[in-house]
Amino acid sequence: MHTIALLGAGRIGAVHAAHIARHPGLRLAVVADIDPAAAQALADRHGALALSPDQALDHPGLAGAVIASPTALHAPQTLEAAARGLAVLCEKPLALDLAVAQAALARLDALGARVLMGFNRRHDPDFAALQAALVQGAIGTIETLHIISHDPAPPPPAYVATSGGIFHDMVIHDFDMARWLLGEEPVEVMAAAACLIDPAIGAAGDADTAKTILRTASGRMAMISSSRRSGYGYDQRIEAFGARGALRVGNVPHSRVEHWGPAGAAGAPFMDFFLDRYAAAFAAQIAHFVQVIDGAAPLVSAADGLRALLLAQGAQESARSGAFVRV
Amino acid sequence: MHTIALLGAGRIGAVHAAHIARHPGLRLAVVADIDPAAAQALADRHGALALSPDQALDHPGLAGAVIASPTALHAPQTLEAAARGLAVLCEKPLALDLAVAQAALARLDALGARVLMGFNRRHDPDFAALQAALVQGAIGTIETLHIISHDPAPPPPAYVATSGGIFHDMVIHDFDMARWLLGEEPVEVMAAAACLIDPAIGAAGDADTAKTILRTASGRMAMISSSRRSGYGYDQRIEAFGARGALRVGNVPHSRVEHWGPAGAAGAPFMDFFLDRYAAAFAAQIAHFVQVIDGAAPLVSAADGLRALLLAQGAQESARSGAFVRV
Amino acid sequence: MHTIALLGAGRIGAVHAAHIARHPGLRLAVVADIDPAAAQALADRHGALALSPDQALDHPGLAGAVIASPTALHAPQTLEAAARGLAVLCEKPLALDLAVAQAALARLDALGARVLMGFNRRHDPDFAALQAALVQGAIGTIETLHIISHDPAPPPPAYVATSGGIFHDMVIHDFDMARWLLGEEPVEVMAAAACLIDPAIGAAGDADTAKTILRTASGRMAMISSSRRSGYGYDQRIEAFGARGALRVGNVPHSRVEHWGPAGAAGAPFMDFFLDRYAAAFAAQIAHFVQVIDGAAPLVSAADGLRALLLAQGAQESARSGAFVRV
Amino acid sequence: MHTIALLGAGRIGAVHAAHIARHPGLRLAVVADIDPAAAQALADRHGALALSPDQALDHPGLAGAVIASPTALHAPQTLEAAARGLAVLCEKPLALDLAVAQAALARLDALGARVLMGFNRRHDPDFAALQAALVQGAIGTIETLHIISHDPAPPPPAYVATSGGIFHDMVIHDFDMARWLLGEEPVEVMAAAACLIDPAIGAAGDADTAKTILRTASGRMAMISSSRRSGYGYDQRIEAFGARGALRVGNVPHSRVEHWGPAGAAGAPFMDFFLDRYAAAFAAQIAHFVQVIDGAAPLVSAADGLRALLLAQGAQESARSGAFVRV
């Protein structure tokens, strides 16, 4: 039974708290937040102690820390936890600023820190099964990869303004997936972006629609389609094309019920709430974090997080220049 | 180039005429009907001669006759054509009355007649591909078979009154398919029927919904689900279960276009007009008829037609008695 | 937090123990089994007390009991638990012998007992969603129902000998589902059974393949296809046909990964282990049991269990007589 | 009944000849080829006259000409036919050289010529149904478009050398489709290409794999994935994303037969021969050509062909430069 401190009692913190509480090998001991009332409420729900962020990591007996604070706190809190020898599950990104992220990574490396970055999508059972099949050679060498990643509905423009933009906030998940699945590091990125959905997003200086191409040294390519609004739930699909066939993962409907009527045969609507869509991924992420605490190498390291950030930065630059950018 | 006479210028006669006209190896020379105007109109459309049914079969140079007349004329016209040495494509059934059908079959056998019965469903490319896979052993020995056969919408009650009833008019197609696919003769039939859709059909003494079980001597079973109204086009599916897996054929939509929206992912509506749904089957049936003229054994013989009729009769009896009937 | 005693530490008992342990509103206090070592092992796994079946129900503070003992103990243990005022989750069937089951039901009724029968399939999220859509009128009045229920592989013949036979052991689940979904009580049953898969099952006096038709007073019909061996995992599908369309639930694959290769486009294999296939159903069943403890009417009552047993008995009789049996 | 001359008796010429012969409103009068034996053989098959290309267009009574000659003859023969007042169905491209194509287009415009360019994919029933649904507003304004166009297997490297390269020979079909479906002219193109399949194709100076992005003035984007080898038949799919949902067309299997076995549920292999895959499209193209002869505007004009050629040229340039190219 490992004892865990959770820093950050917001929406994603509450998700982690619930999965920690449900895991038989974990005990949620401490919840901290810059808002003491939020910390108290979440701590109460799970029989944990509410502490200030300063005190939380010094609580006795901790084995791991989950960092779900605002982005600016990711790097410093991860470093403090690592300095205490704790395994860390840190929400992405380590930092929006590249220099900050690089500096943090250097210190984490020096500390020999065990950090699992919160790219939850790698833990989705279907995407993980696709990756496993790729590694087992189900389609021979992968040649190209398509990722469709359309969210159900756009976030409020206010959020967009602080999120770092579509590439840093949203496509970064897909950059991580592409790196994982291509089996070779992308070294070039090319992106085209537009504001087609909500003019307020454009007014905030961001795009809501993007198409990105990644390329590795040997010529493997990934195409990523990004949209802030599908209008029909999560449209998050992956197709990998290889020398001996293709592997695909489709969308997740609310149920397997089909309705056949005069308008045709229809499946149930696709899931449209991220907690439903990624419930299994969040649970598997916490289960993997237990393995990291027990000594396993994290499936997504801080260095992976930095690499995804570099691709986001390159994509943003390419969307302005209209040309491939080396990363 | 074989020369053909068509007897019957109604709806199904027009279908045959069009497919004969389109086939490069056939020439439609004569069209006959008890209604001379109907014969004339259809003959004109295809550059054929309109004759009376009496004269049609004596037209010089005929190689085959297609009998699409009212049911009562099927047996006598088939016999007249066979007596003249013509190959015959005869719409099902040979006769509604069992004794008449048996007598006709005996005379056809004595004549060595080449008769292809118009069970068009065997010629459907998908059903034929399923049957071919069965024969090739794709699932080992077949054990059981499910046939769903729900029509888009019920016929007028007036039609029902003269059709011979749901088992003779509609399920007979599925009895033929079951015999073909089971690979062993069904020797028992059990049926349950109800009037759930249109009370007028019940008032006419018929059912509009039925479930039938066939059983062979070795215990293989077929379940047939029949409905006069699906409400969403042709729901005509087949599933064969064997020692090493299952084979299935699903429904045919108007196109492969899918629409994804808030209500879910929907396919195009299923085909709902028999000429669309079975266009390929009718074309393949005519192509097979050319082979029969050239000497091939018919895929569906008059004896097959009689056997399906026996099953229809048994099913009707069972629907009254509530017990298995031996056929 | 409700305290639970579990009677029966076998395979299904272990499943219930795990789901009780994982539920935040339940505490597994006691595990009992006629085999003390089995009880001890399962109790240890979940920090519970191992007691003899005699003592278990007298443990202080119990709110509910889960009966997962051998079938012969279902009725007496359920009665003893009910006599102590406990809510009961009892594995099906209440008894194999109809008279025993009827007597137990009468006494449970007299006690005002709250009994949830363990027909887990009603709790499957997809089947439950189909039922909810039916109740909401998605296809108007239901007319007929198809249930396909083919197990991955047959049980050992030794099991078959004591299971009560295919209708009591296996199809009884589908009888319960059919009653639930038809929305009207089936009053007639007709079954055809055969031994097509394993001659040892036939030698043990049972069938391994069956087709059953149920009929209600108004003529609604259900067809149930049963097989002890699909050869490709759980083939458990439902189709409901109504006045305004159809509702369907298909099979559950191990993942959503598809492989496209020269042999065609293939989905992942269907689930083939009942714990995987019905994990969500077992969890939902325990969650519903908490509601029953809290006063809700059980989704499946002991009276429902008796009715399913009557249908199993009628089906067995019909399989011998070849005729519809009134139940 | 319109009388047609066919110029070019090669593989695609034979396809056109068969569809002309089958169409009730057309008569194939003349076949011409620079190889007189090829012309004679094809003419004999359809009861037509074999003439030299010089004589063919002067045959009396012609209403239309189908140009299926080598690419270098497309422009001159189309012009000669148009000069005689014939409607022309010309295989794509009008010319590989842009200046030649532009000059030909100017003269065709001056002649008021009726030219249907042979972009057969627009006539595919499923793609056409998708386009019709788009035009009818099924998903509101289109925002982005994905076209996957992977051929079954690569052509011989010798062919590649003379084909003009992957963008001119293969992706040009998709440029035409993208123009048609986007509903707004693409003004920028960006392509990434690689040789991942067959080094001989790379040695011949061409790529076998490409990803292309098109962009319109308002920011609508199309992504095109091109591969010379899927390994599993034609993988040619389209997805259109709009303000109110998505429309999709999937692949075409050889039949609707599914096989369910231990390896999962598999559909029939996808079609892998272009004559099978596009049989309906070629037939519809000829049917539309009859409408063009009768005065309808061609669905794909020579100007459309030029525009697709410009995009191919831009893509080739972009694949070298790594940046968007304006067209």
Side-chain angles (χ1 to χ4, degrees), chain A residues 143-144 146 190 196 211 223 225 229 232 237 239 241-242 246 322-324, chain D residues 143-144 146 190 211 218 223 225 229 232 237 239 241-242 246 322-324:
Chain A
E143 290 166 359
T144 72
H146 292 183
M190 158 73 215
L196 299 174
K211 310 281 174 183
M223 287 173 75
S225 177
R229 181 266 293 124
Y232 50 83
R237 293 172 283 149
E239 300 196 342
F241 301 93
F324 265 106
Chain D
E143 290 166 359
T144 72
H146 291 184
M190 158 73 216
K211 310 281 174 182
S218 76
M223 288 174 74
S225 177
R229 179 266 294 124
Y232 49 84
R237 292 172 282 150
E239 300 197 344
F241 301 94
F324 265 105

mmCIF file of all heavy atoms in Angstrom, chain A residues 143-144 146 190 196 211 223 225 229 232 237 239 241-242 246 322-324, chain D residues 143-144 146 190 211 218 223 225 229 232 237 239 241-242 246 322-324:
data_model
loop_
_atom_site.group_PDB
_atom_site.id
_atom_site.type_symbol
_atom_site.label_atom_id
_atom_site.label_comp_id
_atom_site.label_asym_id
_atom_site.label_seq_id
_atom_site.Cartn_x
_atom_site.Cartn_y
_atom_site.Cartn_z
ATOM 1 N N GLU A 143 4.816 2.690 -41.926
ATOM 2 C CA GLU A 143 5.243 3.674 -42.918
ATOM 3 C C GLU A 143 4.637 5.047 -42.611
ATOM 4 O O GLU A 143 5.342 6.034 -42.517
ATOM 5 C CB GLU A 143 4.852 3.202 -44.318
ATOM 6 C CG GLU A 143 5.681 2.000 -44.748
ATOM 7 C CD GLU A 143 5.123 1.282 -45.962
ATOM 8 O OE1 GLU A 143 4.066 1.699 -46.488
ATOM 9 O OE2 GLU A 143 5.728 0.283 -46.377
ATOM 10 N N THR A 144 3.305 5.066 -42.476
ATOM 11 C CA THR A 144 2.677 6.340 -42.135
ATOM 12 C C THR A 144 1.594 6.114 -41.099
ATOM 13 O O THR A 144 1.159 4.984 -40.853
ATOM 14 C CB THR A 144 2.106 7.067 -43.382
ATOM 15 O OG1 THR A 144 0.953 6.386 -43.840
ATOM 16 C CG2 THR A 144 3.133 7.168 -44.485
ATOM 17 N N HIS A 146 -2.025 8.071 -39.306
ATOM 18 C CA HIS A 146 -3.025 9.143 -39.302
ATOM 19 C C HIS A 146 -3.648 9.216 -37.920
ATOM 20 O O HIS A 146 -4.099 8.201 -37.387
ATOM 21 C CB HIS A 146 -4.130 8.864 -40.323
ATOM 22 C CG HIS A 146 -3.682 8.935 -41.750
ATOM 23 N ND1 HIS A 146 -4.535 8.772 -42.804
ATOM 24 C CD2 HIS A 146 -2.455 9.161 -42.292
ATOM 25 C CE1 HIS A 146 -3.863 8.885 -43.946
ATOM 26 N NE2 HIS A 146 -2.594 9.117 -43.654
ATOM 27 N N MET A 190 5.336 20.224 -40.004
ATOM 28 C CA MET A 190 4.712 21.171 -40.930
ATOM 29 C C MET A 190 3.249 21.272 -40.517
ATOM 30 O O MET A 190 2.596 20.247 -40.358
ATOM 31 C CB MET A 190 4.865 20.573 -42.336
ATOM 32 C CG MET A 190 3.898 21.082 -43.357
ATOM 33 S SD MET A 190 4.324 22.775 -43.840
ATOM 34 C CE MET A 190 2.667 23.399 -44.085
ATOM 35 N N LEU A 196 -11.921 28.308 -38.218
ATOM 36 C CA LEU A 196 -13.116 28.030 -39.014
ATOM 37 C C LEU A 196 -14.361 27.861 -38.153
ATOM 38 O O LEU A 196 -15.473 27.827 -38.662
ATOM 39 C CB LEU A 196 -12.916 26.743 -39.833
ATOM 40 C CG LEU A 196 -11.757 26.746 -40.840
ATOM 41 C CD1 LEU A 196 -11.594 25.359 -41.464
ATOM 42 C CD2 LEU A 196 -11.996 27.778 -41.928
ATOM 43 N N LYS A 211 -4.068 21.006 -39.477
ATOM 44 C CA LYS A 211 -3.583 19.764 -40.083
ATOM 45 C C LYS A 211 -2.068 19.818 -39.990
ATOM 46 O O LYS A 211 -1.455 20.817 -40.395
ATOM 47 C CB LYS A 211 -4.001 19.644 -41.555
ATOM 48 C CG LYS A 211 -5.499 19.884 -41.821
ATOM 49 C CD LYS A 211 -6.373 18.709 -41.502
ATOM 50 C CE LYS A 211 -7.841 19.074 -41.659
ATOM 51 N NZ LYS A 211 -8.766 18.002 -41.300
ATOM 52 N N MET A 223 0.191 12.179 -40.173
ATOM 53 C CA MET A 223 -0.725 13.287 -40.422
ATOM 54 C C MET A 223 -1.655 13.396 -39.224
ATOM 55 O O MET A 223 -2.255 12.397 -38.820
ATOM 56 C CB MET A 223 -1.579 13.012 -41.662
ATOM 57 C CG MET A 223 -0.820 13.119 -42.966
ATOM 58 S SD MET A 223 -1.872 12.579 -44.378
ATOM 59 C CE MET A 223 -2.979 13.993 -44.558
ATOM 60 N N SER A 225 -4.980 15.417 -37.719
ATOM 61 C CA SER A 225 -6.085 16.334 -37.964
ATOM 62 C C SER A 225 -6.655 16.785 -36.630
ATOM 63 O O SER A 225 -7.039 15.954 -35.803
ATOM 64 C CB SER A 225 -7.178 15.639 -38.786
ATOM 65 O OG SER A 225 -8.280 16.516 -38.949
ATOM 66 N N ARG A 229 -13.964 21.291 -32.534
ATOM 67 C CA ARG A 229 -15.385 20.956 -32.482
ATOM 68 C C ARG A 229 -15.751 19.967 -33.576
ATOM 69 O O ARG A 229 -15.721 20.302 -34.747
ATOM 70 C CB ARG A 229 -16.244 22.228 -32.651
ATOM 71 C CG ARG A 229 -17.730 22.001 -32.597
ATOM 72 C CD ARG A 229 -18.379 21.814 -33.970
ATOM 73 N NE ARG A 229 -18.344 23.004 -34.785
ATOM 74 C CZ ARG A 229 -17.799 23.022 -35.995
ATOM 75 N NH1 ARG A 229 -17.231 21.945 -36.511
ATOM 76 N NH2 ARG A 229 -17.813 24.133 -36.694
ATOM 77 N N TYR A 232 -20.083 16.023 -32.750
ATOM 78 C CA TYR A 232 -20.694 14.692 -32.493
ATOM 79 C C TYR A 232 -19.853 13.879 -31.510
ATOM 80 O O TYR A 232 -19.733 12.668 -31.654
ATOM 81 C CB TYR A 232 -20.901 13.927 -33.792
ATOM 82 C CG TYR A 232 -19.683 13.867 -34.700
ATOM 83 C CD1 TYR A 232 -18.684 12.912 -34.506
ATOM 84 C CD2 TYR A 232 -19.522 14.771 -35.738
ATOM 85 C CE1 TYR A 232 -17.579 12.856 -35.319
ATOM 86 C CE2 TYR A 232 -18.408 14.731 -36.566
ATOM 87 C CZ TYR A 232 -17.447 13.768 -36.350
ATOM 88 O OH TYR A 232 -16.347 13.712 -37.159
ATOM 89 N N ARG A 237 -9.414 9.011 -33.586
ATOM 90 C CA ARG A 237 -9.114 7.740 -34.236
ATOM 91 C C ARG A 237 -7.656 7.687 -34.656
ATOM 92 O O ARG A 237 -7.027 8.714 -34.874
ATOM 93 C CB ARG A 237 -10.002 7.588 -35.474
ATOM 94 C CG ARG A 237 -11.477 7.426 -35.126
ATOM 95 C CD ARG A 237 -12.332 7.476 -36.367
ATOM 96 N NE ARG A 237 -12.520 8.832 -36.858
ATOM 97 C CZ ARG A 237 -12.683 9.182 -38.121
ATOM 98 N NH1 ARG A 237 -12.633 8.263 -39.073
ATOM 99 N NH2 ARG A 237 -12.871 10.441 -38.460
ATOM 100 N N GLU A 239 -4.956 5.493 -37.344
ATOM 101 C CA GLU A 239 -4.706 4.481 -38.369
ATOM 102 C C GLU A 239 -3.208 4.420 -38.638
ATOM 103 O O GLU A 239 -2.595 5.443 -38.925
ATOM 104 C CB GLU A 239 -5.412 4.829 -39.682
ATOM 105 C CG GLU A 239 -6.912 4.948 -39.553
ATOM 106 C CD GLU A 239 -7.636 4.895 -40.897
ATOM 107 O OE1 GLU A 239 -6.978 5.109 -41.932
ATOM 108 O OE2 GLU A 239 -8.842 4.646 -40.888
ATOM 109 N N PHE A 241 -0.351 2.629 -41.050
ATOM 110 C CA PHE A 241 -0.191 1.907 -42.310
ATOM 111 C C PHE A 241 1.223 1.333 -42.382
ATOM 112 O O PHE A 241 2.200 2.079 -42.201
ATOM 113 C CB PHE A 241 -0.417 2.840 -43.500
ATOM 114 C CG PHE A 241 -1.785 3.471 -43.505
ATOM 115 C CD1 PHE A 241 -1.997 4.720 -42.924
ATOM 116 C CD2 PHE A 241 -2.862 2.798 -44.057
ATOM 117 C CE1 PHE A 241 -3.260 5.299 -42.921
ATOM 118 C CE2 PHE A 241 -4.129 3.373 -44.052
ATOM 119 C CZ PHE A 241 -4.336 4.625 -43.484
ATOM 120 N N GLY A 242 1.336 0.046 -42.631
ATOM 121 C CA GLY A 242 2.653 -0.579 -42.657
ATOM 122 C C GLY A 242 2.861 -1.401 -43.910
ATOM 123 O O GLY A 242 2.025 -1.435 -44.822
ATOM 124 N N ALA A 246 -2.745 -2.563 -42.309
ATOM 125 C CA ALA A 246 -3.049 -1.379 -41.506
ATOM 126 C C ALA A 246 -3.691 -1.798 -40.191
ATOM 127 O O ALA A 246 -4.335 -2.848 -40.104
ATOM 128 C CB ALA A 246 -3.983 -0.442 -42.271
ATOM 129 N N GLY A 322 4.549 28.522 -43.047
ATOM 130 C CA GLY A 322 4.090 27.742 -44.195
ATOM 131 C C GLY A 322 5.125 26.782 -44.728
ATOM 132 O O GLY A 322 5.033 26.326 -45.865
ATOM 133 N N ALA A 323 6.123 26.464 -43.929
ATOM 134 C CA ALA A 323 7.168 25.546 -44.386
ATOM 135 C C ALA A 323 7.526 24.564 -43.274
ATOM 136 O O ALA A 323 7.234 24.795 -42.103
ATOM 137 C CB ALA A 323 8.406 26.322 -44.819
ATOM 138 N N PHE A 324 8.153 23.457 -43.664
ATOM 139 C CA PHE A 324 8.625 22.497 -42.680
ATOM 140 C C PHE A 324 9.613 23.160 -41.730
ATOM 141 O O PHE A 324 10.426 23.990 -42.123
ATOM 142 C CB PHE A 324 9.335 21.321 -43.372
ATOM 143 C CG PHE A 324 8.426 20.143 -43.601
ATOM 144 C CD1 PHE A 324 7.946 19.853 -44.880
ATOM 145 C CD2 PHE A 324 8.055 19.318 -42.545
ATOM 146 C CE1 PHE A 324 7.114 18.766 -45.089
ATOM 147 C CE2 PHE A 324 7.223 18.229 -42.757
ATOM 148 C CZ PHE A 324 6.748 17.951 -44.027
ATOM 149 N N GLU D 143 -15.663 22.075 -43.706
ATOM 150 C CA GLU D 143 -14.478 22.749 -43.170
ATOM 151 C C GLU D 143 -13.206 22.059 -43.652
ATOM 152 O O GLU D 143 -12.318 22.701 -44.204
ATOM 153 C CB GLU D 143 -14.546 22.756 -41.642
ATOM 154 C CG GLU D 143 -15.639 23.682 -41.140
ATOM 155 C CD GLU D 143 -15.980 23.491 -39.673
ATOM 156 O OE1 GLU D 143 -15.378 22.610 -39.020
ATOM 157 O OE2 GLU D 143 -16.853 24.213 -39.178
ATOM 158 N N THR D 144 -13.136 20.753 -43.438
ATOM 159 C CA THR D 144 -11.955 20.046 -43.933
ATOM 160 C C THR D 144 -12.367 18.717 -44.545
ATOM 161 O O THR D 144 -13.481 18.237 -44.360
ATOM 162 C CB THR D 144 -10.896 19.830 -42.824
ATOM 163 O OG1 THR D 144 -11.355 18.843 -41.905
ATOM 164 C CG2 THR D 144 -10.586 21.120 -42.089
ATOM 165 N N HIS D 146 -10.729 14.739 -45.780
ATOM 166 C CA HIS D 146 -9.629 13.755 -45.804
ATOM 167 C C HIS D 146 -9.883 12.780 -46.940
ATOM 168 O O HIS D 146 -10.971 12.216 -47.045
ATOM 169 C CB HIS D 146 -9.568 12.971 -44.490
ATOM 170 C CG HIS D 146 -9.143 13.796 -43.313
ATOM 171 N ND1 HIS D 146 -8.953 13.262 -42.066
ATOM 172 C CD2 HIS D 146 -8.869 15.115 -43.196
ATOM 173 C CE1 HIS D 146 -8.601 14.225 -41.226
ATOM 174 N NE2 HIS D 146 -8.541 15.354 -41.885
ATOM 175 N N MET D 190 0.670 21.890 -50.374
ATOM 176 C CA MET D 190 1.873 21.537 -49.615
ATOM 177 C C MET D 190 1.961 20.022 -49.638
ATOM 178 O O MET D 190 0.950 19.360 -49.361
ATOM 179 C CB MET D 190 1.648 22.060 -48.190
ATOM 180 C CG MET D 190 2.469 21.410 -47.118
ATOM 181 S SD MET D 190 4.194 21.952 -47.224
ATOM 182 C CE MET D 190 4.991 20.420 -46.752
ATOM 183 N N LYS D 211 1.898 12.709 -48.595
ATOM 184 C CA LYS D 211 0.822 13.350 -47.828
ATOM 185 C C LYS D 211 0.752 14.775 -48.330
ATOM 186 O O LYS D 211 1.782 15.468 -48.388
ATOM 187 C CB LYS D 211 1.128 13.347 -46.318
ATOM 188 C CG LYS D 211 1.534 11.994 -45.739
ATOM 189 C CD LYS D 211 0.362 11.061 -45.485
ATOM 190 C CE LYS D 211 0.872 9.691 -45.057
ATOM 191 N NZ LYS D 211 -0.180 8.699 -44.837
ATOM 192 N N SER D 218 -10.460 30.735 -47.882
ATOM 193 C CA SER D 218 -11.134 30.934 -46.592
ATOM 194 C C SER D 218 -10.580 30.031 -45.496
ATOM 195 O O SER D 218 -11.045 30.084 -44.359
ATOM 196 C CB SER D 218 -12.636 30.671 -46.744
ATOM 197 O OG SER D 218 -12.888 29.279 -46.811
ATOM 198 N N MET D 223 -6.685 17.073 -46.667
ATOM 199 C CA MET D 223 -5.496 16.244 -46.496
ATOM 200 C C MET D 223 -5.645 15.030 -47.391
ATOM 201 O O MET D 223 -6.668 14.347 -47.335
ATOM 202 C CB MET D 223 -5.380 15.755 -45.053
ATOM 203 C CG MET D 223 -4.997 16.840 -44.069
ATOM 204 S SD MET D 223 -5.059 16.204 -42.346
ATOM 205 C CE MET D 223 -3.598 15.172 -42.309
ATOM 206 N N SER D 225 -3.875 11.405 -48.480
ATOM 207 C CA SER D 225 -2.852 10.395 -48.206
ATOM 208 C C SER D 225 -2.739 9.483 -49.412
ATOM 209 O O SER D 225 -3.726 8.899 -49.850
ATOM 210 C CB SER D 225 -3.243 9.575 -46.969
ATOM 211 O OG SER D 225 -2.288 8.552 -46.760
ATOM 212 N N ARG D 229 0.991 1.302 -52.501
ATOM 213 C CA ARG D 229 0.746 -0.077 -52.085
ATOM 214 C C ARG D 229 0.126 -0.126 -50.702
ATOM 215 O O ARG D 229 0.770 0.215 -49.720
ATOM 216 C CB ARG D 229 2.068 -0.867 -52.069
ATOM 217 C CG ARG D 229 1.929 -2.302 -51.641
ATOM 218 C CD ARG D 229 2.174 -2.539 -50.159
ATOM 219 N NE ARG D 229 3.522 -2.295 -49.740
ATOM 220 C CZ ARG D 229 3.818 -1.438 -48.758
ATOM 221 N NH1 ARG D 229 2.877 -0.747 -48.129
ATOM 222 N NH2 ARG D 229 5.071 -1.289 -48.377
ATOM 223 N N TYR D 232 -3.618 -4.470 -49.251
ATOM 224 C CA TYR D 232 -4.913 -5.122 -48.982
ATOM 225 C C TYR D 232 -6.023 -4.571 -49.891
ATOM 226 O O TYR D 232 -7.161 -4.419 -49.463
ATOM 227 C CB TYR D 232 -5.306 -4.973 -47.508
ATOM 228 C CG TYR D 232 -5.210 -3.564 -46.965
ATOM 229 C CD1 TYR D 232 -6.246 -2.662 -47.147
ATOM 230 C CD2 TYR D 232 -4.082 -3.120 -46.294
ATOM 231 C CE1 TYR D 232 -6.179 -1.368 -46.672
ATOM 232 C CE2 TYR D 232 -3.990 -1.828 -45.808
ATOM 233 C CZ TYR D 232 -5.033 -0.965 -46.000
ATOM 234 O OH TYR D 232 -4.956 0.328 -45.523
ATOM 235 N N ARG D 237 -10.857 6.053 -49.396
ATOM 236 C CA ARG D 237 -11.918 6.531 -48.528
ATOM 237 C C ARG D 237 -11.952 8.055 -48.516
ATOM 238 O O ARG D 237 -10.955 8.709 -48.776
ATOM 239 C CB ARG D 237 -11.668 6.032 -47.102
ATOM 240 C CG ARG D 237 -11.833 4.521 -46.976
ATOM 241 C CD ARG D 237 -11.392 4.045 -45.604
ATOM 242 N NE ARG D 237 -9.943 3.975 -45.487
ATOM 243 C CZ ARG D 237 -9.256 4.154 -44.370
ATOM 244 N NH1 ARG D 237 -9.894 4.450 -43.242
ATOM 245 N NH2 ARG D 237 -7.934 4.044 -44.354
ATOM 246 N N GLU D 239 -13.550 11.402 -46.135
ATOM 247 C CA GLU D 239 -14.257 11.927 -44.967
ATOM 248 C C GLU D 239 -14.339 13.436 -45.104
ATOM 249 O O GLU D 239 -13.326 14.100 -45.287
ATOM 250 C CB GLU D 239 -13.516 11.601 -43.665
ATOM 251 C CG GLU D 239 -13.354 10.122 -43.425
ATOM 252 C CD GLU D 239 -13.006 9.803 -41.977
ATOM 253 O OE1 GLU D 239 -12.594 10.715 -41.234
ATOM 254 O OE2 GLU D 239 -13.136 8.631 -41.592
ATOM 255 N N PHE D 241 -15.613 16.865 -43.122
ATOM 256 C CA PHE D 241 -15.980 17.373 -41.805
ATOM 257 C C PHE D 241 -16.606 18.760 -41.967
ATOM 258 O O PHE D 241 -16.013 19.635 -42.599
ATOM 259 C CB PHE D 241 -14.749 17.462 -40.904
ATOM 260 C CG PHE D 241 -14.050 16.149 -40.712
ATOM 261 C CD1 PHE D 241 -12.987 15.778 -41.510
ATOM 262 C CD2 PHE D 241 -14.491 15.262 -39.734
ATOM 263 C CE1 PHE D 241 -12.342 14.546 -41.345
ATOM 264 C CE2 PHE D 241 -13.867 14.022 -39.562
ATOM 265 C CZ PHE D 241 -12.787 13.671 -40.369
ATOM 266 N N GLY D 242 -17.786 18.934 -41.397
ATOM 267 C CA GLY D 242 -18.467 20.212 -41.550
ATOM 268 C C GLY D 242 -18.944 20.762 -40.231
ATOM 269 O O GLY D 242 -18.687 20.205 -39.159
ATOM 270 N N ALA D 246 -20.119 14.938 -39.908
ATOM 271 C CA ALA D 246 -19.176 14.419 -40.892
ATOM 272 C C ALA D 246 -19.883 13.448 -41.827
ATOM 273 O O ALA D 246 -20.869 12.810 -41.457
ATOM 274 C CB ALA D 246 -18.016 13.715 -40.191
ATOM 275 N N GLY D 322 9.517 21.888 -49.589
ATOM 276 C CA GLY D 322 9.111 21.776 -48.187
ATOM 277 C C GLY D 322 8.258 22.938 -47.717
ATOM 278 O O GLY D 322 8.124 23.151 -46.504
ATOM 279 N N ALA D 323 7.664 23.675 -48.638
ATOM 280 C CA ALA D 323 6.823 24.811 -48.244
ATOM 281 C C ALA D 323 5.562 24.855 -49.106
ATOM 282 O O ALA D 323 5.514 24.250 -50.192
ATOM 283 C CB ALA D 323 7.598 26.117 -48.390
ATOM 284 N N PHE D 324 4.562 25.579 -48.607
ATOM 285 C CA PHE D 324 3.339 25.768 -49.386
ATOM 286 C C PHE D 324 3.659 26.455 -50.706
ATOM 287 O O PHE D 324 4.516 27.350 -50.765
ATOM 288 C CB PHE D 324 2.342 26.636 -48.605
ATOM 289 C CG PHE D 324 1.338 25.840 -47.822
ATOM 290 C CD1 PHE D 324 1.437 25.715 -46.439
ATOM 291 C CD2 PHE D 324 0.282 25.202 -48.469
ATOM 292 C CE1 PHE D 324 0.508 24.981 -45.719
ATOM 293 C CE2 PHE D 324 -0.647 24.473 -47.761
ATOM 294 C CZ PHE D 324 -0.535 24.356 -46.375
#
